[in-house]
Amino acid sequence: MHSTFDERNWLGWLVKIRVIILTFLLGIELAVARLAESPLPMRAFVSTMLLWYALSLFYILLLSFWDEQRVQAVLQVVTDLVLVSLVVHFTGGWDSSLNFLYPLVIIVACILLPKAWAYLTSALAFILYGCVLELNYDAVVPSFATTHPELKALEAIIFVNLFAYLAVAYLAGLLAAKLRQVDVQLKDASGALESLQALHENIIQCMSGGLITTDVAGHITLVNMAAKGMLGCGDELIRKSVNDLFLDPLPHVGSDRAHGEVRFQPANGFRKTFRVIVSTLNVPGRGASGCVYTFDDLTEIRRLEREVRIQDRLAAVGRLAAAIAHEIRNPLTSIAGSVSMLSGATEMTDEQRQLLQIVTRESERLNSIITDFLAYSRGKQYRFDRIDLVPLLEDTLTLLEHSLVAENTGIRIERNLKFREASTLADGDKIKQVFWNFCQNAVRAMKNGGTLTVSLESMGDDWQISFADTGHGMSPQQSEKIFEPFQSGFDGGTGLGLAIVYQIVQAHEGKVWARSKMGEGTTFVLRLRRMGIGMRSPAVTTSENKLLAASSVDAESKSAVGAGGRAHG
């Protein structure tokens, strides 16, 4: 097994432990010398301790810029043995109570150095300790001991310490080997655990579906990258309640509703629909510790389903309108003519004339509905050309402003046109019809006055035109069906205006949708492809299979106009 024993950390630990022991010993010896008479040479002892402190500080600095940890370990062990010998000498030699410092140095050597160095350290400790005792006994150096043992007693002390040092070296070597082995195993296990954790983290973060985990109380503990992207949120979701995140109740574990669909409203964006599956988060040995919610974004699928449903209804209404419109209009014209002739009779009473006026008015209303039917059901002819959307908007808004002033409606128009020119390939008359329809819907929604804000901005490859009113708004159910025929929210409306708008936008391969909240107004949004950005000629048909009499356009404008028309609810 490859050793990963961190000698640098152990050297730093040794310096800290040394400082603590020195401080403790210095305090003890000073207290003993102060409370009782002692032959301890205080100046020499304190000088030795200060030298030891200074060397410890030097070793700390040396460790910061010198990478030879093995040499530093040998240097510190030898220095400690020498200074321990001086301290033992100054504290009484064979009477010293500090000879236990030798085994501590041997233990440190066993931890920091190979096994052979541990035995060499114990031998050096024995030699230094024996030299101190012999020199004191023979009076070669001054002795600070209070007793004077016999020679045999001195030899016994020396040899007992010899065996003690060897025993300490042997036992400490075994423990140090086990310590190294455990340290290496722990680091290997930690590395394997980190790798496994990283793998699991990568798997969770690389999932294409959203994933949220919660604790038992329902507070969010983890959100993967896909979920953050779908929800448009970040780590601020952590510790929040998952039940407050969606508009609909989430499915429950263990019930018949372990999966379901919920709606989500981003801070700035369209409402989304998610399919959510919930399961229990089980931890071995601890049981259930929370829940796991996985979800997919079904917004686009549901939008396509709504579009297909709208197309089916539009086709059905178109066939119905084409079948009955002509049959109704001819007798209606005869009725209107006959009523007009009758109204000229002189012998009619006022009540009879009033009844004829009602018949005439309702005939005109029915004729208007039939006209809308025919306009809706017939294949429309489009003359696509390069047009500028800004003049079309200005003409529509100017005409609307004059109408609003004349009728004193209290409605104010705000323009937010960020471009002076917005070229696209379209039929100008049909696009102006779309603009006018949006404006009329906004005016009808603001019976008590308000503000209509018209915006033009660039969104990627598209021009985006928005008509935002401050009217009564619509419910989500109304917004979803707003482009279906016969869904008028106003009195006297046929419900075909926005259906015709939808047809026109589809013919231009644009996008149209409505955003609304009850009491907060409605915004109609139209997107058309910008001129010259991946454009192709839109596909246009007529009910009589006639060729479209298109105006000549430059080469740039003969490519497509955007991706297919879409109605966003």
Side-chain angles (χ1 to χ4, degrees):
M1 183 180 296
H2 178 67
S3 176
T4 58
F5 189 75
D6 196 346
E7 293 180 344
R8 184 181 183 87
N9 288 338
W10 277 100
L11 286 171
W13 172 84
L14 173 60
V15 173
K16 296 175 183 177
I17 295 298
R18 181 188 296 117
V19 171
I20 294 173
I21 293 176
L22 291 179
T23 303
F24 178 75
L25 292 179
L26 180 60
I28 292 294
E29 292 297 332
L30 291 177
V32 170
R34 191 176 188 86
L35 297 176
E37 293 184 2
S38 173
L40 177 68
M42 189 57 63
R43 179 170 299 189
F45 175 76
V46 172
S47 299
T48 303
M49 299 299 285
L50 292 178
L51 175 62
W52 214 343
Y53 273 118
L55 288 175
S56 298
L57 179 61
F58 169 73
Y59 290 141
I60 292 176
L61 297 176
L62 187 65
L63 188 62
S64 63
F65 63 85
W66 193 24
D67 294 331
E68 292 293 335
Q69 283 85 20
R70 181 61 56 82
V71 178
Q72 292 187 56
V74 173
L75 185 60
Q76 291 195 38
V77 168
V78 173
T79 303
D80 286 341
L81 287 175
V82 173
L83 291 174
V84 166
S85 301
L86 289 175
V87 169
V88 169
H89 167 64
F90 291 133
T91 55
W94 51 76
D95 288 339
S96 175
S97 59
L98 301 182
N99 58 351
F100 72 90
L101 295 175
Y102 285 113
L104 292 182
V105 178
I106 295 172
I107 292 173
V108 170
C110 291
I111 295 174
L112 295 177
L113 300 171
K115 191 173 183 179
W117 277 96
Y119 288 107
L120 288 176
T121 302
S122 64
L124 182 59
F126 165 72
I127 292 172
L128 290 174
Y129 185 60
C131 289
V132 170
L133 297 187
E134 289 291 342
L135 292 175
N136 286 338
Y137 186 83
D138 295 335
V140 176
V141 294
S143 175
F144 301 101
T146 57
T147 62
H148 190 78
E150 297 292 334
L151 180 60
K152 289 185 178 181
L154 181 64
E155 292 174 350
I157 294 174
I158 293 175
F159 283 104
V160 167
N161 281 276
L162 170 62
F163 289 111
Y165 296 164
L166 291 176
V168 169
Y170 174 73
L171 295 175
L174 292 178
L175 293 176
K178 289 293 183 181
L179 179 63
R180 286 190 176 92
Q181 184 179 2
V182 170
D183 185 67
V184 172
Q185 291 176 348
L186 179 60
K187 289 186 177 181
D188 290 342
S190 299
L193 181 61
E194 290 176 358
S195 299
L196 184 61
Q197 185 176 1
L199 176 62
H200 289 173
E201 184 73 16
N202 289 335
I203 291 174
I204 291 174
Q205 297 300 335
C206 293
M207 289 175 57
S208 59
L211 183 141
I212 292 177
T213 63
T214 66
D215 56 18
V216 178
H219 297 118
I220 298 174
T221 57
L222 183 144
V223 183
N224 72 343
M225 294 300 297
K228 293 178 181 178
M230 293 179 187
L231 301 176
C233 304
D235 293 332
E236 65 271 13
L237 295 177
I238 302 299
R239 305 311 306 167
K240 290 187 178 181
S241 176
V242 70
N243 295 314
D244 299 336
L245 195 58
F246 301 99
L247 301 178
D248 303 306
L250 288 167
H252 301 286
V253 177
S255 65
D256 295 336
R257 280 191 72 248
H259 59 84
E261 292 187 10
V262 297
R263 294 170 300 163
F264 174 75
Q265 181 63 56
N268 295 309
F270 300 108
R271 183 176 296 171
K272 296 183 178 181
T273 302
F274 296 129
R275 177 180 58 192
V276 180
I277 300 175
V278 60
S279 58
T280 304
L281 178 61
N282 289 311
V283 178
R286 293 168 50 189
S289 62
C291 294
V292 178
Y293 295 90
T294 56
F295 54 93
D296 300 317
D297 192 348
L298 301 182
T299 305
E300 186 68 12
I301 295 176
R302 296 294 176 259
R303 184 195 62 77
L304 292 174
E305 290 177 352
R306 288 197 302 272
E307 183 175 342
V308 171
R309 189 166 59 249
I310 292 174
Q311 292 287 358
D312 290 341
R313 293 180 182 178
L314 292 179
V317 173
R319 291 191 297 269
L320 175 65
I324 68 173
H326 290 287
E327 299 299 328
I328 294 178
R329 198 167 197 180
N330 290 334
L332 183 63
T333 303
S334 300
I335 293 172
S338 300
V339 170
S340 177
M341 293 181 62
L342 288 174
S343 63
T346 58
E347 64 276 7
M348 296 182 65
T349 65
D350 293 339
E351 183 179 358
Q352 291 172 337
R353 292 182 185 281
Q354 185 177 3
L355 292 174
L356 287 178
Q357 289 176 359
I358 294 175
V359 173
T360 301
R361 186 168 60 250
E362 292 301 319
S363 297
E364 292 174 352
R365 180 173 176 272
L366 185 57
N367 185 60
S368 175
I369 295 175
I370 296 301
T371 302
D372 286 344
F373 271 160
L374 293 175
Y376 174 75
S377 61
R378 289 172 179 167
K380 299 173 181 60
Q381 293 185 351
Y382 296 85
R383 294 182 177 274
F384 288 95
D385 200 352
R386 178 169 185 159
I387 64 169
D388 187 356
L389 296 174
V390 175
L392 294 182
L393 282 171
E394 290 290 354
D395 291 346
T396 303
L397 296 180
T398 300
L399 180 61
L400 180 64
E401 281 178 331
H402 290 305
S403 174
L404 296 177
V405 171
E407 298 176 5
N408 193 22
T409 59
I411 297 175
R412 183 168 53 91
I413 298 177
E414 289 187 358
R415 292 172 172 82
N416 185 21
L417 309 182
K418 298 182 179 180
F419 295 87
R420 295 183 178 179
E421 181 180 356
S423 298
T424 187
L425 185 63
D427 185 325
D429 292 336
K430 296 295 189 296
I431 295 299
K432 186 180 288 188
Q433 181 181 350
V434 172
F435 293 163
W436 184 253
N437 195 292
F438 288 157
C439 291
Q440 287 298 312
N441 276 275
V443 170
R444 290 181 180 180
M446 296 184 289
K447 294 182 179 180
N448 299 322
T451 302
L452 172 62
T453 304
V454 181
S455 304
L456 171 66
E457 53 190 337
S458 176
M459 300 295 291
D461 295 341
D462 299 331
W463 295 115
Q464 177 168 298
I465 307 99
S466 303
F467 294 78
D469 63 58
T470 57
H472 51 71
M474 296 183 292
S475 66
Q477 293 77 13
Q478 290 175 315
S479 298
E480 183 176 346
K481 299 180 179 180
I482 190 65
F483 294 102
E484 296 181 8
F486 310 115
Q487 298 296 328
S488 175
F490 307 107
D491 294 337
T494 62
L496 290 173
L498 289 178
I500 295 173
V501 165
Y502 183 75
Q503 281 187 333
I504 294 174
V505 174
Q506 271 204 321
H508 286 76
E509 296 190 352
K511 308 172 188 177
V512 62
W513 65 90
R515 296 195 299 260
S516 183
K517 285 186 179 180
M518 292 299 295
E520 297 183 11
T522 301
T523 301
F524 285 95
V525 182
L526 170 65
R527 282 191 183 181
L528 296 173
R529 186 60 59 91
R530 291 165 59 187
M531 193 69 178
I533 300 183
M535 304 181 71
R536 57 182 173 80
S537 298
V540 184
T541 60
T542 65
S543 58
E544 293 87 4
N545 294 323
K546 295 180 180 179
L547 295 177
L548 172 65
S551 299
S552 60
V553 293
D554 55 24
E556 178 187 43
S557 63
K558 290 183 179 179
S559 28
V561 180
R566 290 185 270 175
H568 294 249

